[in-house]
């Protein structure tokens, strides 16, 4: 049964799509939720006669709300303590929509979301609408109130910026998961030689603690330096459990204690091995994923046993809960 036009039920039917749009534009699940809520308030008070196509109307409202947020976010991120990384989202449940193709998974990957930070807000909006939602340039122009030729130019510029900053390599899902599970196994066993074999020579380790917890403030560049960083911790995951789960469309390492999410590590892979590890430990950035994780069944995944409290090599922070 089709929901009645203009009702809360109809808005709910569009919510997954507009949440996915907001998240891709903002890189923050919490901000995306706030944006969708603000869009709902506008939906509730809008003149129904002025809403021709609800999906298109909501996409325009959400996109423009996100543009406003991105403008202010730039100033905030300039003052951010350490490296800024996108918030992780568990995706196996369809939270970000269907991720059946390599292109769909790439559109929500942590690596791409990080690259999109280099674009202007408008370039990012054009890129996301075109690449992730297959909007025509005419439709994008209507959403952004820009000329179609201008949108084409913005899209070309965005594609060039993204392409110049990355080397595309898309391992099969099986190969990807196998590499991440090998990393987890080596980490759990304290096998530094095994970890070194998995890392590319030019590997980069990113940590995002946001000044809230201990984390490396700058990216660690090069396999040798990453190994020195990893070797500086005596125990890899004492007191913590390690799980492999689908995060942002790819296999990721989830670090947790008693169902409390502690860290999420995402990986970018190339034929030479792991080229980037992005570790989010900022508790503010784990709120949304933490709710998802708490709701997940405790059965699946690859886990380590929970031992006495200690240091987690993966996230670089104490496993002892604060407070």
């Amino acid at each position: 049964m089709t929901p009645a036009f203009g009702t809360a039920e109809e808005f709910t039917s569009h919510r997954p799509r507009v949440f996915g749009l907001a998240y891709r534009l903002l890189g923050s699940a919490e901000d995306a939720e706030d944006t969708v809520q603000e869009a709902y308030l506008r939906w509730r008070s809008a003149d129904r006669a002025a809403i021709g196509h609800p999906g298109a109307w909501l996409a325009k409202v959400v996109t423009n709300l996100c543009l406003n947020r991105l403008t202010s976010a730039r100033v905030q991120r300039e003052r951010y303590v350490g490296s800024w990384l996108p918030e992780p989202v568990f995706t196996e449940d369809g939270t970000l929509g269907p991720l059946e193709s390599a292109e769909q998974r790439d559109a929500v990957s942590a690596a791409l979301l990080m690259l999109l930070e280099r674009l202007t807000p408008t370039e990012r909006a054009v890129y996301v609408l075109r690449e992730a939602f297959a909007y025509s340039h005419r439709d994008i122009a209507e959403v952004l109130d820009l000329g179609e030729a201008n949108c084409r130019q913005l899209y070309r510029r965005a594609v060039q910026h993204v392409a110049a900053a990355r080397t595309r390599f898309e391992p099969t899902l099986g190969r990807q998961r196998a590499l991440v599970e090998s990393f987890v196994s080596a980490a759990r066993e304290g096998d530094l030689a095994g970890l070194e074999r998995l890392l590319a020579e030019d590997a980069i380790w990113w940590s995002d603690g946001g000044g809230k917890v201990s984390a490396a403030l700058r990216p660690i560049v090069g396999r040798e330096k990453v190994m020195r960083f990893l070797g500086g911790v005596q125990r890899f995951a004492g007191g913590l459990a390690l799980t492999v789960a689908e995060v942002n469309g790819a296999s990721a390492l989830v670090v947790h204690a008693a169902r409390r999410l502690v860290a999420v590590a995402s990986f970018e892979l190339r034929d030479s091995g792991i080229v980037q590890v992005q570790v989010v430990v900022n508790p503010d950035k784990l709120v949304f994923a933490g709710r998802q994780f708490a709701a997940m069944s405790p059965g699946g995944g690859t886990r380590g046993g929970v031992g006495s409290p200690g240091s987690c090599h993966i996230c670089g922070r104490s496993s002892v809960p604060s407070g």
Side-chain angles (χ1 to χ4, degrees), residues 285-304:
K285 289 191 171 185
L286 296 173
V287 172
F288 184 88
R291 290 198 298 269
Q292 289 182 295
F293 185 71
M296 291 164 62
S297 61
T302 303
R303 290 193 182 181

Side-chain angles (χ1 to χ4, degrees), residues 66-124:
C66 287
L67 287 174
N68 292 337
R69 281 182 176 268
L70 283 170
T71 301
S72 60
R74 289 204 153 206
V75 177
Q76 295 170 7
R77 288 171 193 174
E78 286 175 2
R79 298 194 297 264
Y80 194 79
V81 178
S83 301
W84 185 96
L85 298 176
E87 290 181 17
V89 173
F90 290 95
T91 49
E92 201 162 3
D93 62 355
T95 295
L96 294 179
L99 301 177
E100 298 166 357
S101 68
E103 291 76 16
Q104 287 173 324
R105 291 192 298 272
D106 183 65
V108 296
S109 69
L112 179 64
L113 290 173
M114 199 168 166
L115 285 179
L116 294 184
E117 291 294 309
R118 303 183 181 193
L119 306 181
T120 68
T122 308
E123 285 173 347
R124 183 168 183 163

Side-chain angles (χ1 to χ4, degrees), residues 234-253:
Q234 291 182 348
R235 286 180 292 178
F236 286 83
L240 297 176
L242 308 181
T243 302
V244 176
E246 184 184 300
V247 175
N248 289 80
S251 295
L253 167 60

